[in-house]
Amino acid sequence: MTNLAANLVATADRLPDKVGIKLDGLEVTWSALHRAAAAVAGQLRAAGVEPGDRVSLILPNVPAYPVTFYGTLLAGAVVVPMNPLLKAGEIRYFYEDSGAKVSFVWPDFAEEAGKAAAETGTRIVVCGPMGPADGQLDTDELAAEPVAEPVERADDDTAVILYTSGTTGKPKGAELTHFNLHRNAERSASNIMEITEDDVIMGCLPLFHVFGLTCGLNTSVQRGSTLSLIPRFDPAKAIEVLGRDRVTIFQGVPTMYAAILNHPDADRADTSTLRTCASGGSAMPEAVMTAFEKQFHCQILEGYGLSETSPVASFNMPDAPTKPGTIGRAIPGCEMKLVDVDGNDTPPGEIGEIAIRGENIMKGYWNRPEATREAIPDGWFRSGDLATVDDEGYFTIVDRKKDLIIRGGLNVYPREVEEVLYSHPDVLEAAVVGVPDDLMGEEIGAAVALRDGATATLDDVQQYVKERLAAYKYPRRLWQVDALPKGPTGKILRREVRQGA
């Protein structure tokens, strides 16, 4: 039996009284987490959720997240993590596409989720700090027999559907199997961060994101280490938790490291227990890495991965020299190489697209066989990222094939933002591009051409988009142009768009 939830059962048996999940003064032991998850699994079963059905989570980093995540898995259902910042229209698409029967939602996000559910029939269950609120469940469901032992699942049964966008079309759901997630957490714990039950991991990466889900939550559950949660990243809070909880492992995106390093309280931070830091999501500036390591006397290991790779594919690992500026070498159980547009291996020293094969590769895109064949045409997953590789197997990202913008470690796709811009009645043309930013890595920029006679200002346009997209997606920088650069067919040439020009 491969059900990922078996790790929780085993850890609860082995370390019943050890604190597994912590949120400030709220401490949850492994046995208490198992009991709460088993209760959720029983309630789902009583509500008619069967193995293979989809259950959505719209929750911040609170204990309710691991409770409902592992409760869903215990019941044999499939978890669909969602960003809590999504608006009703975005949520509706995910509900419809995944066919989510139930959605566990934090109270702050219940209004947007409720609007979406009214059109899809998804059942909304509002959660408190430890899971479903009593008022949202029927008496029969509350009294349901807990499901303490995981429902049997096969290695290649889907455990999680993580939605990832392409530069064209709607977001696609990457199907990650129980085996994918178990092995990637195992690799992250043993081969990269050398985690044991004595470690305390900082849980400031969002658990709806594959980096935080695998390397934070699933690794903690597998090893029995303590995961100290921060609902929403704040550098002052992170500095407080580092010292208060004697954190040994910090996992974050580069903007988190920069924010902590540049915070006024950085000099007073107690990082005496901090041993290893893992960075991913976007490129870590070498200056930030060097300064952070010097300031806090720790080692930063930079790596690379995608939702489709569970996520870890390569890392600078502790058993070999780290090479700042690189994404390290392929992890055990995974192969990486560079290919040209025809799928042929690129000659040494040349730039190619990263192709990945191994135990971490997704099963495919949910209900999208053509997209799956395009992404994995020959057993090798095409990442869309261009890189070089040296003679020791260290990869360096040099560019992205896609027009992806990475803002603070979160992916933003220009077309989605442009579609909202174009829906504004006064917008004639728009192009969305990434603008370099010291804090976020990249910021969302938009060149906008307004119609003749337009009454809207750029501030009005920005507010219009802000109301319709998640907070991390709307453009912070807008500039007006008479017209956008175009190619011979009239297609807007995004690559030629320049800020303020």
Side-chain angles (χ1 to χ4, degrees), residues 119-132:
E119 298 185 40
T120 64
T122 303
R123 179 177 175 184
I124 302 295
V125 178
V126 178
C127 289
M130 279 294 291

Side-chain angles (χ1 to χ4, degrees), residues 55 96 186 226 363 395 449:
V55 173
E96 288 175 342
E186 192 171 61
T226 298
K363 182 177 179 177
F395 289 79

Side-chain angles (χ1 to χ4, degrees), residues 40 44 55-59 68 72 102-106 125 127 132:
V40 167
L44 286 172
V55 173
S56 148
L57 307 187
I58 307 180
L59 300 166
T68 53
T72 299
V102 174
S103 184
F104 291 111
V105 181
W106 192 243
V125 178
C127 289

Side-chain angles (χ1 to χ4, degrees), residues 425-444:
D426 280 351
V427 171
L428 178 64
E429 292 179 343
V432 172
V433 295
V435 178
D437 184 85
D438 290 340
L439 178 62
M440 303 307 295
E442 286 184 296
E443 194 51 89
I444 314 303

Side-chain angles (χ1 to χ4, degrees), residues 228-271:
S228 184
L229 297 173
I230 297 180
R232 187 169 184 176
F233 179 76
D234 172 76
K237 185 66 176 180
I239 289 170
E240 174 195 333
V241 172
L242 281 167
R244 184 196 71 195
D245 293 346
R246 314 293 288 163
V247 170
T248 60
I249 305 288
F250 182 91
Q251 302 167 351
V253 296
T255 51
M256 292 178 178
Y257 289 94
I260 292 172
L261 184 64
N262 296 317
H263 194 273
D265 293 339
D267 290 340
R268 297 192 293 274
D270 177 7
T271 57

